[in-house]
Amino acid sequence: MEVIKRLKQYYLLYISLALTTAFYPFVINIAIDFSPKITIHEAKSFLDGKRKKLGIEDKIALQTFDDYGLYKSGLKGFCGRNDYGYIIGASKPDLSRIVIDHELYHFLNGECEGRVGNTITESIRILRDLKLSWKDMFLKEPRANIYALKR
């Protein structure tokens, strides 16, 4: 009986992970839609506080955008490097602690080494050509979502 109970638990875990992975855009988008929005000043303060709390010594700047070409494609935020250091970018309509935590997860896992622009205009031009791999879609993004949602 114990073995059957354990198998059921693993099966439920597997199903929930499969659903989370397959439908991660809906999971994070619903959470973002219902999470409290913050101002740019609050976002910068939150980012600095998280940096200190997590022991991150690297400078991380915040870029915000309201270009709806990226927004409509589902991009809520991004992270990367430019000439001055690391950047976390977020869409103004979705600016929240969840988006910042999501991008910090990518930073902590060394996934923010891609090049972004020194200005938001340059970053948008680079990001429009970005193609996510299957690994990004089904491993990295769901993990970042779970990290952000449990914070």
Side-chain angles (χ1 to χ4, degrees):
M1 270 326 238
E2 187 63 33
V3 172
I4 293 173
K5 185 177 179 183
R6 180 81 52 155
L7 285 173
K8 284 181 183 178
Q9 288 174 338
Y10 285 125
Y11 178 75
L12 289 174
L13 177 63
Y14 174 77
I15 293 298
S16 64
L17 283 174
L19 289 173
T20 301
T21 300
F23 298 108
Y24 85 86
F26 303 115
V27 172
I28 193 70
N29 290 347
I30 289 170
I32 288 171
D33 290 343
F34 291 105
S35 68
K37 305 305 178 243
I38 57 177
T39 66
I40 293 171
H41 177 71
E42 290 171 325
K44 288 180 179 180
S45 296
F46 178 73
L47 178 58
D48 287 340
K50 288 295 265 193
R51 256 187 55 240
K52 290 175 185 165
K53 182 179 176 182
L54 296 169
I56 299 170
E57 295 180 15
D58 295 308
K59 182 180 180 218
I60 304 174
L62 181 68
Q63 285 182 350
T64 57
F65 63 91
D66 53 11
D67 178 86
Y68 287 92
L70 287 178
Y71 180 75
K72 286 180 183 174
S73 69
L75 184 67
K76 309 284 188 194
F78 63 88
C79 67
R81 283 190 86 134
N82 65 14
D83 295 339
Y84 307 109
Y86 290 98
I87 298 291
I88 286 181
S91 74
K92 288 178 187 174
D94 294 313
L95 192 56
S96 68
R97 289 175 172 83
I98 289 176
V99 172
I100 293 171
D101 275 337
H102 174 98
E103 298 305 331
L104 276 173
Y105 175 86
H106 289 304
F107 176 84
L108 292 170
N109 284 300
E111 299 167 6
C112 288
E113 297 301 321
R115 175 91 175 127
V116 294
N118 292 329
T119 66
I120 193 62
T121 307
E122 290 175 35
S123 294
I124 288 171
R125 191 173 56 247
I126 292 167
L127 293 166
R128 280 196 175 125
D129 297 328
L130 181 68
K131 303 289 186 231
L132 293 178
S133 70
W134 284 102
K135 184 177 181 181
D136 293 331
M137 295 289 287
F138 293 104
L139 287 176
K140 292 179 182 179
E141 292 301 320
R143 288 177 184 166
N145 292 343
I146 291 168
Y147 174 85
L149 293 173
K150 73 175 190 169
R151 287 282 167 194

